Amino acid sequence: MKTLIKNGRIVDPSQNLDAVMDLLIEDGVVKAIEKKITEKADETYEAKGLLVTPGLVDVHTHLREPGLEAKEDIVTGTMAAAAGGVTTIACMPNTKPIVDSSILVSGIKDRAAREGYVNVEVVGAITKGLEGKELAEMGDMAQKGAMAFSDDGHYVSSTRTFTLAAEYISAFDKILISHSIDHELSSDGYMHEGVVSARIGVPGIPALAEDVAVARDILVAEYTGARVHIAHVASKGAIELIRQAKKRGIPVTCEATVHHLTLTDEACADYNTATRVSPPLRSKDHVEAIREALKDGTVDAIVTDHAPHAPEEKDVEFRYAPCGFCGLETSLGVILTELYHTNLFTINEIIGKMSTEPANIFSLNAGSLKVGNPADVTIIDLNKEWIVDSMKFYTRGKLTPFEGKSCKGKAVATMVAGKFVMRDGVVCTR
Ligand SMILES: [Zn+2]
């Protein structure tokens, strides 16, 4: 099977490429990128005026399967990814049961390979049951292909346990992903502690809760030499600690979410439960610090932290709402609208942070259209105007703080291993 994508502007940070070219795909892999390819193909896709990029890679999602299918499952979650132009996702282990053994890692991988629409990587738990006490079977899970380890949703509070985990995983060159928020400092709050929380009378979570946790994680990375990846960095203090740690050569990387890059705590002012998330949406000075860090390379990747919940779970008072919301179908559009069309970032920078760099951190065979690589491709119309309408989402967790937002820029086709999984916003039948 040969597919020829013609006349697209190919933007591929992995080869420093930004030029109008043809892309030939054969048997699921990239066969050639040239100015003009005349070879006959089974299908030709005219991409004139469109962007052709390596498929987007989102290393922080929650697919909720097994056990929490009222929120999402592997099928609906990967359909949402395909719709959003995302070709590889990594799912977090806070399911029911928790992904803390190799049988669960292979179970998810098998089901995703059979019924998923995009590539699924699995993040295993650091501790059994995410309880922060006994180490999970990380070696076994690594053997079954776990991408990394995380107790996401929980901070591994015990420094001893986290250090043991770091020593253990460095033996097989894996990465710990830390949900770095001090539990004791954050457990009494529901949103960012600041002017807005004081004004609307909601108990706040100080940015300090994030800063101290990140500081500890950096020290453990330095002491053990293990690679630590800080999930969803949202405070300017944490950003500065990571910047300094990188300068000192400590093996630490980090990601920022779409919402922490584009929304402030003002979004919580009307008690909309769609805005309740961990870490919380912060004030403008924090958002600006994260953007600056994305620019100077302190922040390595943009992620969604796609965390769907059943609608009725979010239909409660602000403080009782579970943290998180869906993000796979809005991430690209929101980032292009807020960071590209505002001239803050180049398209190369954005594709780098949403595809090539996260793939490199976790050594994934993704994020590049080099000849011989899997043909995971996202085709983007940079100027397509659209309005976020959650009723059109494929995810089960419809609630989003971006509801009704006018966006500019959207994925118009998604291809995984040379096969279209989405065209014109519609996910293709398998
Ligand atoms: Zn988290």
Side-chain angles (χ1 to χ4, degrees), residues 48-291:
K48 194 168 191 290
L50 301 174
L51 216 62
V52 177
T53 75
L56 304 183
V57 174
D58 184 0
V59 292
H60 195 143
T61 73
H62 297 266
L63 288 180
R64 306 303 195 194
E65 190 179 333
L68 302 167
E69 287 84 355
K71 298 171 191 277
E72 191 81 293
D73 63 29
I74 289 169
V75 172
T76 56
T78 56
M79 285 176 107
V86 180
T87 56
T88 297
I89 55 180
C91 61
M92 290 294 168
N94 57 342
T95 48
K96 223 175 172 177
I98 303 291
V99 183
D100 57 7
S101 67
S102 57
I103 183 114
L104 283 151
V105 172
S106 24
I108 293 170
K109 277 186 144 324
D110 287 351
R111 178 150 145 78
R114 271 198 325 272
E115 292 177 63
Y117 286 77
V118 304
N119 307 310
V120 173
E121 297 290 336
V122 179
V123 178
I126 297 173
T127 66
K128 284 188 182 161
L130 303 184
E131 285 171 358
K133 292 175 189 146
E134 211 182 321
L135 293 187
E137 299 163 9
M138 289 187 281
D140 285 357
M141 288 192 277
Q143 262 189 355
K144 293 288 181 215
M147 180 190 87
F149 299 96
S150 179
D151 272 9
D152 189 49
H154 303 267
Y155 185 53
V156 181
S157 291
S158 158
T159 303
R160 180 173 180 273
T161 303
F162 194 67
T163 305
L164 284 174
E167 281 168 342
Y168 183 32
I169 56 121
S170 32
F172 34 88
D173 197 29
K174 288 285 177 183
I175 300 178
L176 292 184
I177 302 174
S178 181
H179 174 103
S180 307
I181 297 151
D182 182 273
H183 180 70
E184 286 178 334
L185 280 171
S186 65
S187 56
D188 294 335
Y190 303 92
M191 64 177 289
H192 175 64
E193 180 183 271
V195 178
V196 182
S197 67
R199 193 175 77 219
I200 71 171
V202 171
I205 303 165
L208 175 69
E210 188 175 333
D211 303 348
V212 288
V214 168
R216 197 269 329 243
D217 293 346
I218 289 170
L219 291 172
V220 172
E222 182 172 28
Y223 174 75
T224 59
R227 295 166 70 197
V228 174
H229 179 81
I230 310 293
H232 40 53
V233 176
S235 85
K236 57 184 177 187
I239 287 287
E240 190 48 36
L241 288 164
I242 295 165
R243 184 178 284 127
Q244 296 308 325
K246 284 187 162 191
K247 277 192 190 139
R248 278 159 49 217
I250 299 170
V252 59
T253 52
C254 73
E255 63 189 34
T257 68
V258 173
H259 45 277
H260 290 116
L261 280 161
T262 60
L263 292 174
T264 68
D265 54 353
E266 286 290 350
C268 311
D270 59 0
Y271 307 96
N272 178 358
T273 58
T275 64
R276 180 148 147 68
V277 65
S278 173
L281 298 175
R282 300 200 189 280
S283 48
K284 198 161 171 251
D285 47 332
H286 292 279
V287 175
E288 277 167 5
I290 304 168
R291 288 180 172 193

